Amino acid sequence: HGDDIAMNAKLFQKIKYVYDHRAEMGLDDQQKRVVEKYYNDFIRSGAGLDAEGQANLREINEKLSLLNLQFNQNMLAENAAFRMVVDNVEDLSGLPESNIKAAAEQAEAEGMPGKYVFTTAKPSMIPFLQFADNRSLREKLYRGYFMRGNNDNDNDNKKIVNELINLRLKKAHLLGYKDYASYILDENMAKDVPTVDNFLQGLFVPALKVAKQELKEMQAIADKEGADFKLASWDWWYYAEKLRKAKYDFDE
């Protein structure tokens, strides 16, 4: 339906007429901006392509729509499928009572009374990663989160991601852009990829420096507690909380 509107030749000719004569119409800056935006939106949606190009764009858009839908459905299925069931409350040491209670209620609702269920939903996952002392369970839950869509099952998204990337590149090329990032950025303030890269590097370099320093401080806490391992990604929230308390919780 969106393609039918954007590629309607008669409609676009009217928009183009206003765009081409905008300097003669006594428009104020806001009105000119509206005219230019609608024109550019139609161009970016394929209004300026020939019949063959529009047919190709329609096909690409249809495939992208279906793939995005399938990707999201797979992620929902992965979230729904993952359950970390804990049998012993002693394995939940460090976790706030409210989160233990919520996990027990989740287990009860799923027909597992007396057990505790944790999921990749943020209200369930984040407190566990932040407070639970059991490192192996933190790892299990975190892996359940970051491996979603990458389990070589019916919900696997790797092939879909590859297809999405290739289709987006084809769409960008069809509309006259070097790559999909350039297509997206063309109507944003940054305008081009180098500007975004420079901006991100300006954030990344100092942020990485701080993160590495924090990692050293957290590793020192772990070592002091007798840990015989190097911190991994599933340890970050847990030791970041310990570092926060050590630095800023003056009541303890």
Side-chain angles (χ1 to χ4, degrees), residues 2-19:
D3 285 342
D4 286 342
I5 295 173
M7 300 180 198
N8 185 306
K10 290 183 178 180
L11 175 59
F12 180 61
Q13 284 305 314
K14 294 179 179 181
I15 291 173
K16 187 175 185 303
Y17 179 88
V18 177
Y19 177 80

Side-chain angles (χ1 to χ4, degrees), residues 139-150:
E139 178 181 358
K140 182 178 181 180
L141 183 56
Y142 188 64
R143 286 188 178 278
Y145 176 75
F146 76 71
M147 289 298 291
R148 295 172 303 162
N150 188 25

Side-chain angles (χ1 to χ4, degrees), residues 65-194:
S65 179
L66 292 173
L67 287 170
N68 277 306
L69 178 62
Q70 187 60 55
F71 180 94
N72 290 329
Q73 288 177 337
N74 288 347
M75 291 299 286
L76 287 172
E78 290 281 88
N79 281 326
F82 180 85
R83 291 291 183 274
M84 186 176 75
V85 181
V86 178
D87 298 321
N88 192 340
V89 71
E90 293 180 359
D91 289 329
L92 305 181
S93 169
L95 200 63
E97 187 61 35
S98 59
N99 297 107
I100 295 175
K101 182 180 178 181
E105 291 174 351
Q106 182 75 32
E108 181 79 26
E110 296 185 13
M112 293 179 283
K115 297 186 178 183
Y116 308 87
V117 169
F118 297 88
T119 72
T120 54
K122 295 297 179 67
S124 177
M125 180 183 71
I126 296 299
F128 196 95
L129 295 176
Q130 191 172 5
F131 297 109
D133 297 325
N134 192 312
R135 186 174 189 245
S136 63
L137 290 180
R138 293 202 309 271
E139 178 181 358
K140 182 178 181 180
L141 183 56
Y142 188 64
R143 286 188 178 278
Y145 176 75
F146 76 71
M147 289 298 291
R148 295 172 303 162
N150 188 25
N151 292 302
D152 297 321
N153 55 17
D154 292 339
N155 302 320
D156 198 273
N157 273 331
K158 291 191 290 293
K159 183 179 178 181
I160 290 177
V161 169
N162 187 61
E163 292 178 10
L164 284 170
I165 291 171
N166 288 323
L167 284 169
R168 287 177 174 181
L169 184 59
K170 287 181 180 179
K171 180 173 181 175
H173 287 170
L174 187 59
L175 293 170
Y177 295 89
K178 177 183 177 182
D179 47 47
Y180 193 71
S182 298
Y183 166 72
I184 291 297
L185 291 171
D186 187 50
E187 63 175 357
N188 287 279
M189 186 180 297
K191 282 298 180 184
D192 55 49
V193 174

Side-chain angles (χ1 to χ4, degrees), residues 17-31:
Y17 179 88
V18 177
Y19 177 80
D20 290 341
H21 295 81
R22 65 191 185 282
E24 309 160 13
M25 301 176 69
L27 304 178
D28 61 30
D29 289 343
Q30 292 182 352
Q31 290 169 328

